[in-house]
Amino acid sequence: MGNFLKTFKTFSILMLLAFAGYSTVFAQPTDNTRFIAFGNIQTQQLDLMSTRTPTSSGRIILKYTPTAGTTADAAVTQLRTIMNAIGTVDLLTGGYNVANIEQKVGDRLTTLNYHNTTTCIKAFIGYGTNYRVTSLTPGTQYAFAVLDYNYDAQNNQLKFWQNPAGTAWPHTSNPRAVKTLGAYYTPPEISVAAVYATGVTIKT
């Protein structure tokens, strides 16, 4: 009888641990990618780089195009609202792959009536986050966000990170605003005198 109770107790503990892990895997991420930055900003493209949270299944990149005259701060505030609204996304048919994630997140944005301003431009399964964004409009204010998700294989759903209600936004650099260069931007000319001043020798 003693051996039975000992075995039963061990089994119960293992089951509790298993269920705890099960619920953790299928829950929304407890944290999100904290920081994004931009490089190689041009008239129609830029490079987006970010840190990532290694505990989530993957992440998506959202592009927000505000109406003309919207400030960078206002664009970031609105994109935060959109990030929080996504919640859970059903993959339905199509499977757990990049193309279907992008499609179904787009469908979710349409349901939420954010599709006129916001698109899911890239999905990652795993830890990728760096991406070259193309097909942008010159001289235009954008905001971008990286949003982490966990994949619920049992229900074929993506569960996205959400900022806890009533708490301050924890990531000051995600989302982030950026403006592309104007259409008529030309690099500044460098005078020969300025080049010589650097100590560089020009061979003719």
Side-chain angles (χ1 to χ4, degrees):
M1 184 67 178
N3 288 337
F4 172 79
L5 291 174
K6 184 177 180 181
T7 302
F8 180 78
K9 183 178 180 181
T10 302
F11 176 77
S12 299
I13 292 172
L14 290 174
M15 287 299 293
L16 286 172
L17 291 173
F19 280 119
Y22 180 86
S23 62
T24 299
V25 170
F26 292 159
Q28 268 116 355
T30 57
D31 201 0
N32 191 63
T33 298
R34 291 178 170 270
F35 179 85
I36 62 176
F38 307 106
N40 190 30
I41 301 171
Q42 300 182 28
T43 56
Q44 294 179 292
Q45 71 177 44
L46 56 83
D47 293 337
L48 185 152
M49 300 153 284
S50 69
T51 59
R52 49 131 176 110
T53 303
T55 55
S56 60
S57 302
R59 54 212 37 83
I60 60 171
I61 298 177
L62 298 173
K63 180 185 77 174
Y64 175 72
T65 309
T67 57
T70 301
T71 66
D73 287 345
V76 166
T77 298
Q78 180 60 18
L79 189 46
R80 288 177 178 177
T81 299
I82 295 167
M83 292 168 71
N84 260 344
I86 292 176
T88 298
V89 172
D90 292 310
L91 292 182
L92 303 173
T93 58
Y96 180 45
N97 57 73
V98 167
N100 197 41
I101 292 171
E102 293 171 357
Q103 175 65 49
K104 295 303 188 293
V105 172
D107 293 345
R108 175 70 172 149
L109 291 168
T110 298
T111 300
L112 295 168
N113 202 30
Y114 289 128
H115 60 287
N116 291 325
T117 59
T118 310
T119 54
C120 174
I121 59 172
K122 178 64 178 174
F124 296 95
I125 296 174
Y127 298 147
T129 47
N130 299 340
Y131 185 64
R132 173 157 291 177
V133 184
T134 59
S135 303
L136 300 176
T137 302
T140 301
Q141 179 75 65
Y142 293 95
F144 293 91
V146 175
L147 182 60
D148 287 39
Y149 67 82
N150 278 330
Y151 175 54
D152 178 347
Q154 182 180 30
N155 296 303
N156 199 26
Q157 293 177 328
L158 302 178
K159 296 185 176 179
F160 287 89
W161 175 82
Q162 292 177 304
N163 189 46
T167 64
W169 191 266
H171 312 313
T172 57
S173 296
N174 181 26
R176 198 165 193 168
V178 63
K179 191 172 184 179
T180 52
L181 299 179
Y184 302 107
Y185 172 83
T186 55
E189 294 184 3
I190 303 175
S191 68
V192 173
V195 173
Y196 278 120
T198 65
V200 175
T201 301
I202 300 176
K203 292 185 178 180
T204 57

